Amino acid sequence: MDKIKIIGGNPLFGKVYISGAKNTALPIICASLLTDEPVTLYNLPILSDITSLNLLLKQIGTQIEGRQEELNGHITQTFTYCTAKPTSLIAPYDYVRKMRASYYVLGPLLTKYRHVELSLPGGCAIGARPMDIHLNSLEQMGASIEIKNGYVVADIKDRLKGAHIVFHSASVGATCNILMAATLAEGDTIIENAAKEPEIADLINLLRKMGADIEGINTSTLTIHGVDKLHGVEHEIINDRIEAGSYAVAAAITHGCVELVNANPEYLQCPMDILQKTGVSVKKTENGLIIDAQNTKLQGIDIYTDYYPGFPTDLQAQFMALMCVADGAAMVTESIWENRFMHVPELIRMGANINVHGHASAIVRGVPKLSGAPVMSTDLRASFALILAGLAAEGETIVNRVYHLDRGYERLEEKFKLIGANIERIKESD
Ligand code: UD1
């Protein structure tokens, strides 16, 4: 397995181009299954999660054509998806095991083709990750659902029926799945306590362009008036707020100054407010943000993760790395996932002073310096936090198991090298 080697201590300066949002691309690619016409998606990130999902769609029978282009020194990726006639309505274990978001085929295949078999994704490092909201909601819409041999087997006789559904948690995944399913249902569906993440708004914009009738964008109550048919479309994916937030911390932790080109400040309000409270300057530009931490004495600030527009759980590990080298104490509270402090023992190996209380809280007491060490990635965002700690540390850090990073951070070493980081990938065969 590849590793990443970092020699810490370089302040980072320059520009980072923010890529298309992974967590928007995944449901939107699956939304292409709702029509037999071509759906062309621009600004798709170049990530192994996109490759994995494309492989799943190919085995369902989707024709996929793609290209990569250079635009202002930044590489972008476009794919056209066309599912004129599916050859399989099964999402097998081997695909879902590699990429949980494969579950986004559930809503579209069921509502359009009336049958789907989806391997249950199971838990993962950050928590149990149940699917009860997805499945109960589809049952409320008239689907019959069975769990057989590790698979969800879902059927409907005729069309799904509109229903009034109240989610017990504002789940991003369930909101996307039920939204997609409801577009082709008979009658009206109301989703209460829907997620309001920007990724949902982008999916709604795509679905509307395809002919869906949806009200309530950016609110927690969505009303979907079912239509008979959706059509092909061209759509540009929004940029990745989590990638932008991650590089913002890289500028801060190295006391550098980095422009995040194409970052959307609107999506980053809460984490950028926290960053400013640590003493870092955050300025909007014409097409992004400038993060300036030169001569900044970092101050520890408490963090509480929450549903959007609250502080994103997907930036918790990166901000915790920052608090490790800030003055004073910071309480980090994780309210979304029950097991999202796996980066803590690794940060402690690098000299951080962190005490975890139960599953949900950690007290971070800042230390003057971290020191490089061999560390182990456990999940995507935790891996980036270890890279950040390595960039700030004295000496050499080796991050093992970097396949996690390849799932969610496009051309990571390249982007870091361009802003002056001493970072390289050690290939398995080296
Ligand atoms: C998505 C993101 C992930 C992010 C998370 C929360 C993708 C591919 N992944 O994950 O990076 O950390 O949102 O912002 O977009 N829940 C249930 N029952 C369900 C579904 C969820 O109880 O049926 C609970 C979960 O256990 C969790 C909370 O709801 O506590 C949020 O989960 P959810 O928003 O569904 O996360 P994902 O969509 O899987």
Coordinates of all heavy atoms in Angstrom, one line a residue, residues 23 26-27 100-108 110 118 121 129-141 145 160 163 165-183 189-197 199-201 203-204 207 214 219-220 222 224 307 336-337:
N23 N -19.1 14.5 -2.5 CA -20.3 14.1 -1.9 C -21.6 14.6 -2.7 O -22.7 14.2 -2.4 CB -20.4 14.5 -0.5 CG -19.5 13.6 0.4 OD1 -18.9 12.7 -0.1 ND2 -19.3 14.0 1.6
L26 N -21.5 11.9 -6.2 CA -21.9 10.5 -6.0 C -23.5 10.4 -6.1 O -23.9 9.6 -7.0 CB -21.4 10.0 -4.6 CG -19.9 9.9 -4.5 CD1 -19.5 9.5 -3.1 CD2 -19.3 8.9 -5.5
P27 N -24.3 11.2 -5.4 CA -25.7 11.0 -5.7 C -26.1 11.5 -7.1 O -27.0 10.9 -7.7 CB -26.4 11.9 -4.6 CG -25.3 12.8 -4.1 CD -24.0 12.1 -4.3
R100 N -19.5 2.9 0.1 CA -20.8 2.9 0.7 C -21.8 3.7 -0.1 O -23.0 3.3 -0.2 CB -20.7 3.6 2.1 CG -19.9 2.9 3.1 CD -20.1 3.7 4.4 NE -21.5 4.0 4.6 CZ -22.4 3.2 5.2 NH1 -22.0 2.0 5.5 NH2 -23.6 3.5 5.3
A101 N -21.4 4.8 -0.7 CA -22.3 5.6 -1.4 C -23.0 4.9 -2.6 O -23.8 5.5 -3.3 CB -21.7 6.9 -1.8
S102 N -22.5 3.7 -2.9 CA -23.2 2.8 -3.9 C -24.7 2.7 -3.6 O -25.5 2.4 -4.4 CB -22.6 1.4 -3.9 OG -21.3 1.5 -4.1
Y103 N -25.1 3.0 -2.3 CA -26.5 2.9 -1.9 C -27.4 3.9 -2.6 O -28.6 3.9 -2.5 CB -26.7 2.8 -0.4 CG -26.4 4.0 0.4 CD1 -26.6 5.3 0.0 CD2 -25.9 3.8 1.7 CE1 -26.3 6.4 0.8 CE2 -25.6 4.9 2.6 CZ -25.8 6.2 2.1 OH -25.5 7.2 2.9
Y104 N -26.7 4.9 -3.3 CA -27.5 5.9 -4.0 C -28.2 5.3 -5.2 O -29.0 6.0 -5.8 CB -26.7 7.1 -4.4 CG -26.4 8.0 -3.2 CD1 -25.1 8.5 -3.0 CD2 -27.4 8.5 -2.4 CE1 -24.8 9.4 -2.0 CE2 -27.1 9.3 -1.4 CZ -25.9 9.8 -1.2 OH -25.6 10.7 -0.1
V105 N -27.9 4.0 -5.6 CA -28.7 3.4 -6.7 C -30.0 3.0 -6.3 O -30.9 2.7 -7.1 CB -27.9 2.3 -7.4 CG1 -26.5 2.7 -7.9 CG2 -27.8 1.1 -6.5
L106 N -30.2 2.9 -4.9 CA -31.5 2.3 -4.4 C -32.7 3.0 -4.8 O -33.6 2.5 -5.5 CB -31.4 2.2 -2.9 CG -32.6 1.7 -2.1 CD1 -32.7 0.2 -2.4 CD2 -32.4 1.9 -0.6
G107 N -32.8 4.3 -4.5 CA -34.0 5.1 -4.8 C -34.2 5.2 -6.3 O -35.3 4.9 -6.8
P108 N -33.2 5.6 -7.1 CA -33.4 5.7 -8.6 C -33.9 4.4 -9.3 O -34.8 4.3 -10.0 CB -32.1 6.1 -9.1 CG -31.4 6.8 -8.0 CD -31.9 6.1 -6.8
L110 N -35.2 1.7 -7.9 CA -36.6 1.2 -7.5 C -37.7 2.0 -8.1 O -38.7 1.4 -8.6 CB -36.6 1.3 -6.0 CG -38.0 0.7 -5.4 CD1 -38.1 -0.8 -5.7 CD2 -38.0 1.0 -3.9
L118 N -29.7 -4.5 -3.3 CA -28.5 -3.8 -2.9 C -27.8 -4.5 -1.7 O -28.5 -4.7 -0.7 CB -29.0 -2.4 -2.5 CG -27.9 -1.5 -1.7 CD1 -27.0 -0.8 -2.7 CD2 -28.6 -0.4 -0.8
P121 N -24.5 -2.1 3.1 CA -23.1 -1.6 3.3 C -22.5 -2.0 4.6 O -21.3 -2.1 4.7 CB -23.3 -0.1 3.2 CG -24.7 0.2 2.8 CD -25.5 -1.0 3.0
R129 N -23.5 3.4 10.9 CA -24.1 3.9 9.6 C -25.3 3.0 9.2 O -25.3 2.4 8.2 CB -23.0 3.9 8.5 CG -21.8 4.7 9.0 CD -20.9 5.0 7.9 NE -21.3 6.2 7.1 CZ -20.5 6.9 6.4 NH1 -19.2 6.6 6.3 NH2 -21.0 7.9 5.7
P130 N -26.4 3.2 10.0 CA -27.6 2.4 9.6 C -28.3 3.0 8.4 O -28.0 4.1 7.9 CB -28.5 2.7 10.8 CG -28.0 3.9 11.4 CD -26.5 4.0 11.1
M131 N -29.3 2.2 7.8 CA -30.0 2.6 6.6 C -31.5 2.7 6.9 O -32.3 2.6 6.0 CB -29.7 1.7 5.5 CG -28.4 1.9 4.7 SD -28.4 1.1 3.2 CE -29.6 2.1 2.2
D132 N -31.9 2.6 8.2 CA -33.3 2.5 8.5 C -34.1 3.6 7.9 O -35.3 3.4 7.5 CB -33.5 2.5 10.1 CG -32.9 3.7 10.8 OD1 -31.7 4.0 10.5 OD2 -33.6 4.3 11.5
I133 N -33.6 4.8 7.9 CA -34.4 5.9 7.4 C -34.7 5.7 5.9 O -35.9 5.9 5.4 CB -33.7 7.3 7.6 CG1 -33.4 7.5 9.0 CG2 -34.6 8.4 7.1 CD1 -32.6 8.8 9.3
H134 N -33.7 5.3 5.1 CA -33.9 5.0 3.7 C -35.0 4.0 3.5 O -35.9 4.1 2.7 CB -32.6 4.5 3.0 CG -31.4 5.3 3.2 ND1 -30.6 5.7 2.2 CD2 -30.7 5.6 4.4 CE1 -29.5 6.4 2.7 NE2 -29.6 6.3 4.0
L135 N -34.8 2.9 4.2 CA -35.7 1.7 4.0 C -37.1 2.0 4.5 O -38.1 1.7 3.8 CB -35.1 0.5 4.7 CG -33.7 0.1 4.2 CD1 -33.2 -1.2 4.8 CD2 -33.6 0.0 2.6
N136 N -37.3 2.6 5.7 CA -38.6 2.8 6.3 C -39.4 3.8 5.4 O -40.6 3.7 5.1 CB -38.5 3.5 7.7 CG -38.0 2.5 8.7 OD1 -38.0 1.3 8.4 ND2 -37.5 2.9 9.8
S137 N -38.6 4.8 4.8 CA -39.3 5.8 4.0 C -39.8 5.1 2.7 O -40.9 5.4 2.2 CB -38.3 6.9 3.6 OG -37.8 7.5 4.7
L138 N -39.0 4.2 2.1 CA -39.4 3.6 0.9 C -40.6 2.7 1.2 O -41.6 2.6 0.4 CB -38.3 2.8 0.2 CG -37.2 3.6 -0.4 CD1 -36.0 2.8 -0.8 CD2 -37.7 4.4 -1.6
E139 N -40.6 2.1 2.4 CA -41.8 1.2 2.7 C -43.0 2.1 2.9 O -44.1 1.8 2.4 CB -41.5 0.5 4.1 CG -40.7 -0.8 3.8 CD -40.4 -1.5 5.1 OE1 -40.3 -0.9 6.2 OE2 -40.3 -2.8 5.0
Q140 N -42.9 3.3 3.4 CA -44.0 4.2 3.5 C -44.5 4.6 2.2 O -45.7 5.0 2.0 CB -43.6 5.5 4.3 CG -43.7 5.4 5.8 CD -43.3 6.8 6.4 OE1 -42.2 6.9 6.9 NE2 -44.3 7.7 6.4
M141 N -43.6 4.6 1.2 CA -44.0 4.9 -0.2 C -44.6 3.7 -0.9 O -44.8 3.7 -2.2 CB -42.9 5.5 -0.9 CG -42.4 6.8 -0.3 SD -40.9 7.4 -1.1 CE -41.5 8.2 -2.6
I145 N -39.9 -4.5 1.2 CA -38.5 -4.6 1.4 C -38.2 -5.8 2.3 O -38.8 -6.0 3.3 CB -37.9 -3.3 2.0 CG1 -38.1 -2.2 1.0 CG2 -36.5 -3.5 2.5 CD1 -37.6 -0.9 1.4
L160 N -44.0 3.9 -7.0 CA -44.0 4.3 -5.6 C -45.1 5.4 -5.4 O -45.5 6.1 -6.4 CB -42.7 4.9 -5.3 CG -41.5 4.0 -5.1 CD1 -40.2 4.8 -5.0 CD2 -41.7 3.1 -3.8
A163 N -45.8 10.1 -0.1 CA -46.1 9.9 1.3 C -45.6 11.1 2.1 O -44.8 11.9 1.6 CB -45.4 8.6 1.8
I165 N -43.3 11.9 5.0 CA -42.3 11.2 5.8 C -41.6 12.2 6.7 O -41.2 13.3 6.3 CB -41.3 10.6 4.8 CG1 -42.0 9.7 3.8 CG2 -40.1 9.9 5.5 CD1 -41.2 9.4 2.6
V166 N -41.4 11.7 8.0 CA -40.6 12.6 8.9 C -39.3 11.8 9.3 O -39.4 10.7 9.9 CB -41.5 12.9 10.2 CG1 -40.7 13.8 11.1 CG2 -42.8 13.5 9.8
F167 N -38.2 12.3 9.0 CA -36.9 11.7 9.3 C -36.6 11.9 10.8 O -36.7 13.0 11.3 CB -35.8 12.3 8.5 CG -35.7 11.9 7.0 CD1 -34.8 12.5 6.2 CD2 -36.6 11.0 6.5 CE1 -34.7 12.2 4.8 CE2 -36.6 10.7 5.1 CZ -35.6 11.3 4.3
H168 N -36.1 10.8 11.4 CA -35.7 11.0 12.8 C -34.3 11.7 13.0 O -34.0 12.2 14.0 CB -35.8 9.7 13.6 CG -34.8 8.6 13.2 ND1 -33.4 8.8 13.5 CD2 -34.9 7.4 12.6 CE1 -32.8 7.7 13.0 NE2 -33.7 6.9 12.5
S169 N -33.5 11.6 11.9 CA -32.3 12.4 11.8 C -32.2 13.0 10.5 O -32.7 12.4 9.5 CB -31.0 11.5 11.9 OG -31.0 10.8 13.1
A170 N -31.5 14.2 10.4 CA -31.5 14.9 9.1 C -30.4 14.2 8.2 O -29.3 14.8 8.0 CB -31.2 16.3 9.3
S171 N -30.6 13.0 7.8 CA -29.6 12.2 7.1 C -29.4 12.7 5.7 O -30.4 12.9 4.9 CB -30.0 10.8 7.1 OG -29.4 10.1 6.0
V172 N -28.1 13.0 5.3 CA -27.8 13.4 3.9 C -28.2 12.3 2.9 O -28.8 12.5 1.9 CB -26.3 13.7 3.8 CG1 -25.9 14.0 2.4 CG2 -25.9 14.9 4.8
G173 N -27.7 11.1 3.3 CA -27.9 10.0 2.3 C -29.4 9.7 2.1 O -29.8 9.5 1.0
A174 N -30.1 9.6 3.2 CA -31.6 9.3 3.1 C -32.3 10.4 2.3 O -33.2 10.2 1.5 CB -32.2 9.1 4.4
T175 N -31.9 11.7 2.6 CA -32.6 12.8 1.9 C -32.3 12.6 0.3 O -33.3 12.8 -0.4 CB -32.0 14.2 2.3 OG1 -32.2 14.3 3.8 CG2 -32.7 15.3 1.7
C176 N -31.1 12.3 -0.1 CA -30.8 12.2 -1.5 C -31.6 11.0 -2.1 O -32.2 11.1 -3.1 CB -29.3 11.9 -1.7 SG -28.3 13.3 -1.4
N177 N -31.6 9.9 -1.4 CA -32.2 8.6 -1.9 C -33.7 8.8 -2.0 O -34.3 8.5 -3.1 CB -31.9 7.5 -1.0 CG -31.2 6.4 -1.7 OD1 -31.3 6.2 -2.9 ND2 -30.4 5.6 -1.0
I178 N -34.4 9.4 -1.0 CA -35.8 9.6 -1.0 C -36.3 10.7 -2.0 O -37.3 10.5 -2.7 CB -36.4 9.8 0.4 CG1 -35.9 8.6 1.3 CG2 -37.9 9.9 0.4 CD1 -36.2 7.2 0.7
L179 N -35.4 11.7 -2.1 CA -35.7 12.8 -3.1 C -35.8 12.1 -4.5 O -36.7 12.4 -5.3 CB -34.5 13.7 -3.1 CG -34.7 15.2 -2.6 CD1 -33.3 15.8 -2.7 CD2 -35.7 15.9 -3.5
M180 N -34.7 11.4 -4.8 CA -34.6 10.8 -6.1 C -35.8 9.8 -6.4 O -36.4 9.8 -7.4 CB -33.3 10.0 -6.3 CG -32.1 11.0 -6.3 SD -30.5 10.3 -6.8 CE -30.0 9.5 -5.4
A181 N -36.1 9.0 -5.3 CA -37.2 8.1 -5.5 C -38.5 8.8 -5.7 O -39.4 8.4 -6.5 CB -37.3 7.2 -4.2
A182 N -38.7 9.9 -5.0 CA -40.0 10.6 -5.0 C -40.3 11.3 -6.4 O -41.4 11.6 -6.7 CB -40.1 11.6 -3.9
T183 N -39.2 11.6 -7.1 CA -39.4 12.4 -8.4 C -40.3 11.7 -9.3 O -41.1 12.3 -10.0 CB -38.0 12.7 -9.1 OG1 -37.4 11.4 -9.3 CG2 -37.2 13.6 -8.3
T189 N -44.8 13.8 -2.3 CA -44.1 13.3 -1.1 C -43.6 14.6 -0.4 O -43.1 15.5 -1.0 CB -42.9 12.5 -1.6 OG1 -43.3 11.4 -2.4 CG2 -42.0 12.0 -0.4
I190 N -43.8 14.5 0.9 CA -43.2 15.6 1.8 C -42.2 14.9 2.7 O -42.5 13.9 3.3 CB -44.3 16.2 2.7 CG1 -45.3 16.9 1.7 CG2 -43.7 17.3 3.6 CD1 -46.6 17.3 2.4
I191 N -41.0 15.5 2.7 CA -39.9 15.0 3.6 C -39.7 16.1 4.7 O -39.3 17.2 4.3 CB -38.6 14.7 2.9 CG1 -38.8 13.8 1.7 CG2 -37.5 14.2 3.8 CD1 -37.5 13.6 0.8
E192 N -40.0 15.7 5.9 CA -39.7 16.7 7.0 C -38.4 16.3 7.7 O -38.1 15.1 7.8 CB -40.9 16.7 8.0 CG -42.0 17.5 7.5 CD -43.1 17.7 8.6 OE1 -42.7 18.2 9.7 OE2 -44.2 17.4 8.3
N193 N -37.7 17.3 8.2 CA -36.4 17.1 8.8 C -35.4 16.6 7.8 O -34.5 15.8 8.1 CB -36.4 16.2 10.0 CG -35.2 16.3 10.9 OD1 -34.5 17.3 10.9 ND2 -34.9 15.2 11.7
A194 N -35.5 17.1 6.6 CA -34.5 16.7 5.5 C -33.2 17.4 5.8 O -33.2 18.5 6.4 CB -35.1 17.2 4.1
A195 N -32.1 16.9 5.2 CA -30.8 17.5 5.4 C -30.8 18.7 4.5 O -31.5 18.8 3.5 CB -29.7 16.5 5.0
K196 N -30.0 19.8 4.9 CA -29.9 21.0 4.1 C -28.5 21.3 3.6 O -28.2 22.4 3.2 CB -30.3 22.2 5.1 CG -31.8 22.2 5.5 CD -32.1 23.4 6.3 CE -31.5 23.3 7.7 NZ -32.0 24.3 8.6
E197 N -27.7 20.3 3.6 CA -26.3 20.5 3.1 C -26.3 21.0 1.6 O -27.3 20.7 0.9 CB -25.6 19.1 3.1 CG -24.9 18.8 4.4 CD -25.8 18.5 5.6 OE1 -27.0 18.6 5.5 OE2 -25.2 18.3 6.7
E199 N -24.8 20.0 -0.8 CA -24.9 18.9 -1.8 C -26.3 18.5 -2.1 O -26.6 18.1 -3.3 CB -24.2 17.6 -1.1 CG -22.7 17.8 -0.9 CD -22.3 18.7 0.3 OE1 -23.0 18.8 1.2 OE2 -21.2 19.3 0.2
I200 N -27.2 18.7 -1.2 CA -28.7 18.4 -1.5 C -29.2 19.4 -2.5 O -29.9 19.1 -3.4 CB -29.5 18.5 -0.2 CG1 -28.9 17.6 1.0 CG2 -31.0 18.1 -0.4 CD1 -29.1 16.2 0.9
A201 N -28.8 20.7 -2.2 CA -29.3 21.8 -3.1 C -28.8 21.5 -4.5 O -29.6 21.7 -5.5 CB -28.9 23.1 -2.6
L203 N -28.1 18.6 -5.9 CA -28.9 17.5 -6.4 C -30.3 18.0 -6.9 O -30.8 17.6 -7.9 CB -29.1 16.4 -5.4 CG -30.0 15.2 -5.7 CD1 -29.4 14.4 -6.9 CD2 -30.1 14.2 -4.5
I204 N -30.9 18.8 -6.0 CA -32.3 19.3 -6.4 C -32.2 20.1 -7.7 O -33.1 20.0 -8.6 CB -32.9 20.2 -5.2 CG1 -33.2 19.3 -4.0 CG2 -34.1 21.0 -5.7 CD1 -33.7 20.0 -2.8
L207 N -32.1 17.7 -10.5 CA -33.3 17.0 -10.7 C -34.4 17.9 -11.4 O -35.1 17.5 -12.2 CB -33.9 16.4 -9.4 CG -33.0 15.3 -8.8 CD1 -33.5 15.0 -7.3 CD2 -33.1 14.0 -9.6
I214 N -39.9 20.1 -7.5 CA -39.4 20.0 -6.1 C -39.5 21.4 -5.5 O -39.0 22.4 -6.1 CB -38.0 19.5 -6.0 CG1 -37.9 18.1 -6.6 CG2 -37.6 19.4 -4.5 CD1 -36.5 17.6 -6.8
T219 N -34.3 24.2 2.6 CA -35.0 24.2 3.9 C -35.1 22.7 4.3 O -34.8 21.8 3.5 CB -36.5 24.7 3.7 OG1 -37.3 23.8 3.0 CG2 -36.5 26.1 2.9
S220 N -35.6 22.5 5.5 CA -35.7 21.1 6.0 C -37.0 20.5 5.7 O -37.3 19.3 6.1 CB -35.5 21.1 7.5 OG -36.4 22.0 8.1
L222 N -39.1 19.4 2.3 CA -39.0 19.3 0.9 C -40.4 18.7 0.4 O -40.8 17.7 1.0 CB -37.9 18.4 0.4 CG -36.5 18.9 0.8 CD1 -35.4 17.8 0.4 CD2 -36.1 20.2 0.1
I224 N -42.1 17.1 -3.0 CA -41.8 16.6 -4.3 C -43.1 16.2 -5.0 O -43.8 15.3 -4.5 CB -40.8 15.4 -4.3 CG1 -39.6 15.8 -3.5 CG2 -40.4 15.0 -5.7 CD1 -39.5 15.2 -2.2
Y307 N -25.3 19.3 12.0 CA -25.9 19.3 10.7 C -25.6 20.7 10.1 O -25.6 21.7 10.8 CB -27.4 18.9 10.7 CG -27.6 17.6 11.2 CD1 -28.1 17.4 12.5 CD2 -27.3 16.4 10.4 CE1 -28.4 16.1 13.0 CE2 -27.6 15.2 10.9 CZ -28.1 15.0 12.2 OH -28.3 13.7 12.7
I336 N -22.3 13.9 15.4 CA -22.9 13.1 14.2 C -22.5 11.6 14.3 O -23.4 10.8 14.1 CB -22.5 13.7 12.9 CG1 -22.8 15.2 12.8 CG2 -23.2 13.0 11.7 CD1 -24.2 15.7 12.8
W337 N -21.2 11.3 14.4 CA -20.8 10.0 14.4 C -20.3 9.5 15.8 O -19.7 10.3 16.5 CB -19.7 9.8 13.3 CG -20.1 10.1 11.9 CD1 -19.7 11.2 11.2 CD2 -21.1 9.4 11.1 NE1 -20.3 11.2 10.0 CE2 -21.2 10.1 9.9 CE3 -21.9 8.3 11.4 CZ2 -22.1 9.7 8.9 CZ3 -22.7 7.9 10.3 CH2 -22.8 8.6 9.1

